[in-house]
Amino acid sequence: MTKFAKPEEIQSAHSILLKNKPYFEQDKIDIIECNESRDVKACPGSGKTTTLLAKLIILANRMPLPENQGICVLTHTNVAIDEIKNKLGHKADMLFRYPNHFGTIQSFVDKFLAIPYFSSLYLKKPSQISNDSYIKNLDRSFRMKLNSIKSTKNDLYKRMWNFFLSNDSLLRNVRLSIKDSEFQLIDISTNSIISFKKPKKGKTYTDWSSSEKDEMKKLMIDIVLNVYKYYSSISYHDAYTLSTAYIIENPKIKESISSRFKYLFIDEMQDTDRHQLDIINSIFDSSKTIIQCFGDHHQAIFNKIKSEELWKPSNTLEINGSKRFGENIAKVLRSVCLEKNDALVANPVINSLFPTIIVFDNPLNVLPKFCELLQINKIDSKTIWDVAQEEKKSTGDFSHKIKAIGWVGSPNSLTRAANDLTIKSYYNNFNAQIKKKDKVDYDSIKSFLRKQNGAKVKDYSNKIIEALLHVLSTVNKKYSNGKSSRNFTKTSLLDYFSSKSIEEFNIFNSNIARWAKSIHNSDGFCDVTIAEIKLFVTSKFCQIFEVDSTNQYISKFLNDSPINIPTDDEVKNNNVFENNGIEVEVATIHSVKGETHIATLYLETSYQGEHESQRIMEQLKGNYYIPPRKKDVYKKETLKMTHVGMSQPKYFLCMAIHQDRFDDALDIRNGGMWEIVNA
């Protein structure tokens, strides 16, 4: 096999990524040198991403590749893309240009498949690929369609209307799927083909007749396709459906994609869902493209983790040594795992403390006890809290390196009893929503014009324009250039406005600058300015753009309360527990995956009727998991979650277990792996 890189190239990559740090170990060199399609299995904190970055640096220095081929790097989050940009510095400039593609799997599917196919069908690009806007437009299309036909007094349509009104969640979950080149309706909450049932008296249900089902499905598919056609809006899931249809109709796409990209690298491969895998396998030919997938099937928590592992690594290269934690934490992770994990090697340089279990009666006592342990337990001569403070000084960024994490954030359908624990049980102020990206399809004008930390005056000018575009989109007002019609953009809105009334347009330009400055200088919502903008919309804007200012959707948009998007101060106040000067960020396991903490407290929570300590007590004692003959879905899910959560800390791992579920066999004095303290 021809080696991918020369020794001097690897040395150069090391000097950029790991200057003054130990050289790459042999297992990482083997991966960097590999120039064929292989899977790479890497344990938590192994330096997997750094190894991938080394390959990318070498490729950047070789650009352009022969025949102007490119490289494709797919991830699951934009955070991973940002990390690549930050670590590569100016080297990233070359890699993020044509013919290369760096992005999430979703962005790749959108760019190369969904958008081209949508454009070929409707002669315009989709205005948005967003679940929020899709659901809103689906609801609007659905109600308009059924309102228009229920007046026929047809009994079937009446029952359809009542069926969907009584199954509102179904409307939110309905998506299109494709099988045998035909569109089907699928309920993404259950990943199943939708079956239509009509209720009878009591609790019994009988199926719709075959002809009624066919009529219902035909109607619903028509409604979904109308959302595409008239609102140019598709959901993330439907982007994959359209992409599948595109590939079926155009099988040469595979040859085209594979010829363009010489290399395909996929990070966190274990988190890939079935529909994503199907697309990737359909368009990349491993005989033409070198495909290398990086991941760890033990850490698959972002796909449908209750399903069987979708990624089954083969022809693997492995990194079993962790840079993140020492032997005491590695010992726990070898058994708290889906399988016997003796290959996991700790970092011999890191002196991780003995893991500790906090036994409690009242969950509100757990975080104060954890803070106490941070001030008592020492790494050499320094307390854990002192170590965290030193890191903050050396890096200039604390980023809450001490965290308390749990699986289930707040009571929901998965918490069944009053004593089922969630993160909120330990910290009442916890709000899982505050970590979500500020990419909401806003439902009110106040949501557009709220005060945002770090925003400049021009940002508010753009937000006002976006709010006006939203008004036009709400009533499906299109811009026509004589050849075709499409949704308004900022440019076409301003062009149209100025062509209709240059006098009003000049007044608007003057006002928008004043409004933006007023919002920028306000402490929160600038109600006086917002009132002015609302009056402008109803009295001037709607008249100029020839839309009905009394339209119910416009009225709702102008007068609704804003979506509750917390400010940075609210993030700190809500999700950071403080005790005697100690700060602990409280978060979900999903939100911290891949991070390295100084110390981590794992808070047991209830999922599907049981807490972690009830399902995996034997693994907490050090006994390896042996899969039973019958499926043990929830235990496998729990082992994945705990493995990820407990692999975050560098020095100190704690777990909170209620005294009713505590087993004395966990005590170090009885040969366990844990120290025990009481809260």
Side-chain angles (χ1 to χ4, degrees):
M1 178 187 71
T2 305
K3 288 187 176 181
F4 172 79
K6 299 176 182 177
E8 56 268 28
E9 289 180 303
I10 300 175
Q11 177 67 54
S12 175
H14 177 271
S15 65
I16 294 171
L17 295 170
L18 299 169
K19 188 176 183 179
N20 299 324
K21 292 184 178 180
Y23 198 62
F24 295 117
E25 295 88 346
Q26 188 58 48
D27 53 3
K28 295 184 178 66
I29 293 175
D30 292 342
I31 294 168
I32 295 171
E33 290 182 337
C34 179
N35 199 37
E36 62 183 15
S37 294
R38 300 286 292 268
D39 286 332
V40 178
K41 289 173 58 178
C43 69
S46 61
K48 161 183 65 70
T49 301
T50 301
T51 306
L52 173 57
L53 289 174
K55 298 189 76 121
L56 297 180
I57 286 175
I58 293 168
L59 281 168
N61 290 329
R62 296 179 182 175
M63 289 291 171
L65 298 179
E67 300 180 13
N68 203 32
Q69 285 184 291
I71 59 175
C72 181
V73 180
L74 301 180
T75 68
H76 287 274
T77 65
N78 286 311
V79 173
I81 295 297
D82 292 339
E83 181 182 4
I84 291 174
K85 288 181 178 179
N86 291 335
K87 289 192 174 182
L88 292 185
H90 71 278
K91 294 285 183 183
D93 296 340
M94 178 69 73
L95 293 172
F96 279 80
R97 291 203 299 262
Y98 180 88
N100 306 319
H101 177 84
F102 275 62
T104 62
I105 297 177
Q106 181 74 55
S107 71
F108 179 89
V109 167
D110 294 346
K111 177 179 178 180
F112 289 95
L113 302 171
I115 293 176
Y117 187 54
F118 187 97
S119 300
S120 70
L121 291 175
Y122 302 110
L123 303 180
K124 58 185 175 182
K125 291 184 178 180
S127 60
Q128 284 182 309
I129 300 178
S130 160
N131 286 348
D132 289 333
S133 65
Y134 167 81
I135 291 169
K136 182 180 67 179
N137 289 324
L138 177 64
D139 179 79
R140 186 183 304 163
S141 178
F142 164 77
R143 295 178 189 280
M144 289 174 63
K145 183 75 172 179
L146 265 69
N147 263 324
S148 68
I149 61 178
K150 73 172 184 175
S151 60
T152 64
K153 299 183 179 181
N154 184 303
D155 181 62
L156 170 62
Y157 290 147
K158 283 184 180 179
R159 286 189 284 113
M160 287 181 180
W161 176 259
N162 292 329
F163 174 78
F164 276 96
L165 287 183
S166 61
N167 291 272
D168 187 53
S169 62
L170 179 59
L171 185 62
R172 292 195 299 272
N173 289 320
V174 66
R175 298 291 189 273
L176 286 185
S177 182
I178 190 164
K179 186 176 182 180
D180 301 326
S181 301
E182 293 292 332
F183 285 123
Q184 294 181 328
L185 290 171
I186 189 168
D187 182 348
I188 61 170
S189 66
T190 60
N191 199 33
S192 60
I193 301 294
I194 291 176
S195 62
F196 299 101
K197 295 181 178 181
K198 56 184 179 182
K200 282 193 172 182
K201 291 182 180 179
K203 296 184 178 179
T204 59
Y205 286 77
T206 57
D207 287 338
W208 299 81
S209 69
S210 177
S211 61
E212 287 175 336
K213 283 184 178 181
D214 290 342
E215 188 72 18
M216 182 73 132
K217 291 177 182 178
K218 181 181 177 182
L219 175 67
M220 280 305 301
I221 290 174
D222 182 51
I223 289 171
V224 172
L225 294 177
N226 276 345
V227 174
Y228 297 170
K229 183 176 181 179
Y230 295 111
Y231 297 105
S232 304
S233 176
I234 61 176
S235 70
Y236 297 129
H237 185 280
D238 284 354
Y240 289 94
T241 298
L242 292 170
S243 297
T244 301
Y246 192 32
I247 294 167
I248 291 172
E249 292 184 17
N250 301 275
K252 289 186 177 181
I253 291 173
K254 183 171 186 175
E255 180 182 345
S256 176
I257 294 290
S258 299
S259 298
R260 171 168 171 174
F261 296 110
K262 175 65 176 176
Y263 295 96
L264 168 64
F265 301 107
I266 307 177
D267 198 15
E268 303 293 354
M269 184 65 180
Q270 76 280 348
D271 289 327
T272 307
D273 270 323
R274 167 59 62 196
H275 59 281
Q276 295 173 321
L277 274 174
D278 289 344
I279 292 288
I280 291 169
N281 291 334
S282 297
I283 59 175
F284 283 100
D285 184 346
S286 59
S287 67
K288 294 184 177 180
T289 301
I290 293 174
I291 303 172
Q292 296 185 352
C293 304
F294 292 69
D296 178 6
H297 63 293
H298 296 152
Q299 299 185 67
I301 67 171
F302 278 99
N303 57 16
K304 300 291 187 297
I305 62 173
K306 63 183 178 183
S307 63
E308 293 300 312
E309 286 73 39
L310 298 176
W311 179 51
K312 301 183 185 300
S314 61
N315 193 23
T316 59
L317 294 168
E318 298 188 15
I319 312 177
N320 291 313
S322 177
K323 294 293 185 183
R324 183 179 294 161
F325 42 75
E327 175 60 24
N328 281 326
I329 293 176
K331 187 177 180 182
V332 173
L333 294 172
R334 291 189 189 112
S335 60
V336 180
C337 192
L338 283 172
E339 60 192 13
K340 186 178 180 180
N341 194 19
D342 283 351
L344 178 63
V345 178
N347 189 334
V349 177
I350 296 178
N351 179 27
S352 296
L353 301 178
F354 219 84
T356 297
I357 285 178
I358 300 175
V359 182
F360 66 91
D361 177 28
N362 182 351
L364 295 176
N365 292 336
V366 171
L367 284 166
K369 186 66 179 180
F370 182 56
C371 290
E372 179 185 322
L373 295 175
L374 296 175
Q375 293 177 300
I376 294 174
N377 288 285
K378 294 183 177 181
I379 306 294
D380 298 324
S381 60
K382 299 170 185 174
T383 69
I384 298 171
W385 179 246
D386 288 338
V387 171
Q389 294 302 296
E390 285 190 358
E391 179 162 320
K392 178 181 178 180
K393 290 179 181 178
S394 64
T395 63
D397 176 30
F398 181 51
S399 297
H400 293 101
K401 295 293 186 181
I402 296 177
K403 296 194 178 185
I405 60 175
W407 187 351
V408 181
S410 303
N412 54 39
S413 61
L414 303 180
T415 51
R416 302 173 179 176
N419 59 350
D420 282 353
L421 292 171
T422 67
I423 297 176
K424 282 185 76 72
S425 305
Y426 300 90
Y427 185 48
N428 293 333
N429 288 343
F430 176 72
N431 179 0
Q433 300 302 313
I434 65 179
K435 279 295 182 184
K436 291 188 175 180
K437 292 289 184 184
D438 187 10
K439 292 183 179 178
V440 182
D441 183 45
Y442 299 102
D443 284 335
S444 74
I445 194 167
K446 274 195 171 185
S447 295
F448 277 93
L449 306 182
R450 65 184 179 87
K451 180 69 181 289
Q452 300 179 62
N453 290 338
K456 300 176 182 178
V457 172
K458 68 176 181 179
D459 296 323
Y460 295 112
S461 296
N462 289 330
K463 280 296 181 184
I464 294 170
I465 297 291
E466 288 177 24
L468 297 177
L469 289 170
H470 188 89
V471 169
L472 297 176
S473 173
T474 294
V475 294
N476 200 27
K477 179 68 175 179
K478 302 291 186 180
Y479 174 71
S480 175
N481 60 6
K483 297 180 180 179
S484 62
S485 63
R486 61 188 63 192
N487 289 326
F488 275 91
T489 64
K490 178 180 178 181
T491 300
S492 58
L493 181 148
L494 297 176
D495 287 346
Y496 183 90
F497 197 159
S498 61
S499 68
K500 286 291 184 178
S501 174
I502 191 65
E503 181 181 354
E504 290 293 348
F505 181 70
N506 290 335
I507 295 173
F508 168 71
N509 273 335
S510 176
N511 283 336
I512 198 173
R514 179 173 56 82
W515 292 334
K517 187 175 181 180
S518 176
I519 297 170
H520 180 266
N521 294 335
S522 67
D523 294 327
F525 290 112
C526 190
D527 291 328
V528 174
T529 298
I530 291 174
E532 278 191 43
I533 296 172
K534 288 164 64 175
L535 179 61
F536 161 76
V537 171
T538 56
S539 64
K540 297 292 184 183
F541 183 78
C542 287
Q543 178 183 354
I544 288 171
F545 282 80
E546 300 176 349
V547 298
D548 181 5
S549 62
T550 64
N551 179 282
Q552 60 174 320
Y553 296 113
I554 293 178
S555 298
K556 189 175 186 298
F557 174 69
L558 294 179
N559 298 311
D560 266 8
S561 298
I563 294 171
N564 182 24
I565 305 172
T567 64
D568 291 345
D569 289 339
E570 288 173 324
V571 171
K572 179 177 177 61
N573 293 336
N574 280 285
N575 278 9
V576 177
F577 175 82
E578 295 187 46
N579 184 274
N580 295 327
I582 306 292
E583 290 185 348
V584 178
E585 182 179 337
V586 185
T588 63
I589 297 169
H590 286 91
S591 70
V592 303
K593 187 183 177 205
E595 296 179 354
T596 297
H597 306 159
I598 299 296
T600 305
L601 167 62
Y602 191 106
L603 306 167
E604 73 163 351
T605 60
S606 174
Y607 175 76
Q608 295 288 5
E610 286 189 314
H611 297 77
E612 287 93 334
S613 60
Q614 293 170 281
R615 289 202 180 104
I616 63 165
M617 183 58 73
E618 289 303 309
Q619 284 64 58
L620 293 173
K621 294 176 185 177
N623 299 318
Y624 299 117
Y625 172 66
I626 301 175
R629 290 184 178 179
K630 63 178 182 179
K631 287 187 177 181
D632 197 1
V633 172
Y634 296 140
K635 186 165 185 173
K636 291 181 70 174
E637 289 185 68
T638 304
L639 282 169
K640 288 181 181 181
M641 276 292 173
T642 48
H643 186 81
V644 169
M646 293 181 179
S647 66
Q648 306 306 309
K650 183 176 182 180
Y651 293 114
F652 189 43
L653 168 65
C654 279
M655 181 179 185
I657 298 178
H658 193 276
Q659 63 185 18
D660 292 346
R661 293 182 287 274
F662 176 68
D663 189 329
D664 288 336
L666 285 167
D667 199 315
I668 182 62
R669 290 165 293 188
N670 293 321
M673 299 184 292
W674 305 83
E675 295 277 9
I676 311 298
V677 300
N678 291 291

